[in-house]
Amino acid sequence: MSLPPAVIVWGASGFIGRNIVDALAGQVPLLIGVNASGAAVPGCTTTVAAAAVDTLPALPEGAAILHVAAFRYFASQFGKQQQRILAANLAMTEQVYGFAMARGITEIRAASSSAVYPASWAVQDDAVPLDLNDWPHDGEAAYAWSKRWGEITAELWHRRAGIHTISFRLTNPYGPHDTLDEAEAHVATAFVIRAAGDAPEFEVRGDPDAERDFIYAGDVAAAFVESLALRGVTEAVNLAFGETRTVRDLAACAMRAAGRQRPIKLTSPPAAGNRGVKVRRATAAKLRQLLPGLAPFRGLDDGMAATLAWYRDALRG
C-alpha cells in the first residue's frame, strides 16, 4: 500500500482521531495532528492548534487530510446541544477545505455519519442517493445536517477545486480512546465502563431491544488508512459492520468480556438524550468494493474484549 508522504489528522485528540493516529504512527514520514489546544498527541510527528494551522511550514506534494474533528457532545445532553453541534461542525468543515485549497491538497477523507440518512429509510443503503428533502431523524436533525453539509461541501469542492473526498458514514463506533466518564459516554463505551465496575446489576437505559450496527474503532481507523492508497475518488460510503445487534446483546458481550454476568436493570434514558429509531440497519457491500484489501472487521465479542482491556488500563491510570 502506497501512503502519502504527509497526513494531517484533523481531530487527532478525539476518539476516532486517536485510533487513526495509532494506526498511522510510524507508517508515514510526517504525521501532523490538529486539535483545539495544540497539545501533543502521542504518535504524531507534530501537533498544532486548529487556530494556528496556517503557521505550518510547506507540506510535501501529495499530502492528504483525514478530517475526523467534530464537536464533542455529551450523550446525556445531546438534544440540548444540537445548535452548538451544528455551528461547530460546519465551522470545522469550512476550515478543513479552506486549508486544503490554500495548500493545494486534493485528497481528503472525512468522518460523516449514518445519521445523514432519512428517518423514513428502513435500510441505510449507500448505493441509493440521498434525497435531501427527506429529513433525518428529528431527534438528531442538527447533527445530521452538519454531516449532510460536510458531504455537500465535499461534492462542491470536488467540482470547483478538484478536491477528492471519501466521506465515511460511520454507524456506531466503539473502542479505545473514548471518554472515561460513564455518565457521558455513548452506549457501547458506557457498557464497557459498567462491565469493568462492581455494581450488582447491569444498568441499561432505554430500549434493550433497539438494534444498531456496532463497529470497532480500530476497524474504522484501518478503513481510513486503507483508503489513503486511493487517488481521485469522490464518494460517500457506509463504514459499517453490516449487521445489527440489540442493546441487550451488547450488554451481554460487555459482561462476557469482563467475565461476570449480572442481571440487567432497565431504566429510562436521560431526558435530554437522543431517543432514536428502534432499528438502524446499514449496508456494507460498497465499502468492500471500494477497499477490497480491507481486512475483515472484528466481531462484537472480540471488539468488546479489546475495548475492555484498554479501559481497564485507562481507568487504573
Side-chain angles (χ1 to χ4, degrees), residues 272-290:
N274 178 28
R275 298 169 186 260
V277 294
K278 175 92 172 180
V279 179
R280 278 188 164 160
R281 295 189 175 93
T283 59
K286 188 174 176 181
L287 177 71
R288 295 295 169 176
Q289 293 167 1
L290 184 69

Side-chain angles (χ1 to χ4, degrees), residues 214-276:
F214 297 102
I215 182 168
Y216 183 63
D219 293 328
V220 171
F224 271 86
V225 172
E226 185 78 12
S227 75
L228 288 172
L230 300 178
R231 303 289 187 275
V233 176
T234 296
E235 192 62 87
V237 58
N238 289 343
L239 186 36
F241 187 80
E243 66 181 47
T244 61
R245 299 287 293 270
T246 67
V247 172
R248 194 186 302 272
D249 287 341
L250 183 70
C253 284
M255 288 188 278
R256 279 196 298 272
R260 180 185 172 211
Q261 292 293 322
R262 286 169 268 173
I264 289 177
K265 175 185 177 182
L266 300 180
T267 60
S268 298
N274 178 28
R275 298 169 186 260

Side-chain angles (χ1 to χ4, degrees), residues 181-205:
D181 183 350
E182 185 269 338
E184 299 301 349
H186 302 294
V187 59
T189 299
F191 281 10
V192 165
I193 296 172
R194 280 173 217 162
D198 56 5
E201 296 177 309
F202 194 95
E203 183 181 11
V204 173
R205 300 168 188 160

Side-chain angles (χ1 to χ4, degrees), residues 90-266:
L90 295 187
M92 291 178 205
T93 295
E94 296 310 303
Q95 185 186 36
V96 166
Y97 281 91
F99 179 83
M101 285 184 277
R103 296 300 183 101
I105 295 172
T106 60
E107 293 292 337
I108 295 178
R109 309 292 179 260
S112 187
S113 169
S114 61
V116 301
Y117 285 102
S120 62
W121 288 22
V123 177
Q124 297 173 330
D125 187 350
D126 53 3
V128 179
L130 288 182
D131 178 358
L132 295 179
N133 291 312
D134 197 350
W135 268 63
H137 188 269
D138 282 345
E140 57 187 15
Y143 171 75
W145 273 104
S146 78
K147 293 302 183 179
R148 283 184 171 190
W149 178 249
E151 295 186 12
I152 292 168
T153 301
E155 180 62 26
L156 171 64
W157 296 121
H158 168 57
R159 293 172 182 241
R160 297 291 297 169
I163 296 174
H164 309 289
T165 303
I166 300 176
S167 299
F168 288 110
R169 295 171 178 166
L170 277 63
T171 51
N172 291 80
Y174 67 94
H177 299 300
D178 205 353
T179 180
L180 300 180
D181 183 350
E182 185 269 338
E184 299 301 349
H186 302 294
V187 59
T189 299
F191 281 10
V192 165
I193 296 172
R194 280 173 217 162
D198 56 5
E201 296 177 309
F202 194 95
E203 183 181 11
V204 173
R205 300 168 188 160
D207 185 357
D209 298 315
E211 295 180 33
R212 296 291 183 268
D213 183 302
F214 297 102
I215 182 168
Y216 183 63
D219 293 328
V220 171
F224 271 86
V225 172
E226 185 78 12
S227 75
L228 288 172
L230 300 178
R231 303 289 187 275
V233 176
T234 296
E235 192 62 87
V237 58
N238 289 343
L239 186 36
F241 187 80
E243 66 181 47
T244 61
R245 299 287 293 270
T246 67
V247 172
R248 194 186 302 272
D249 287 341
L250 183 70
C253 284
M255 288 188 278
R256 279 196 298 272
R260 180 185 172 211
Q261 292 293 322
R262 286 169 268 173
I264 289 177
K265 175 185 177 182
L266 300 180

Side-chain angles (χ1 to χ4, degrees), residues 10 32-39 46-56 95:
W10 227 281
I32 300 171
V34 179
N35 58 22
S37 66
T46 187
T47 309
V48 63
V53 290
D54 291 338
T55 67
L56 285 170
Q95 185 186 36

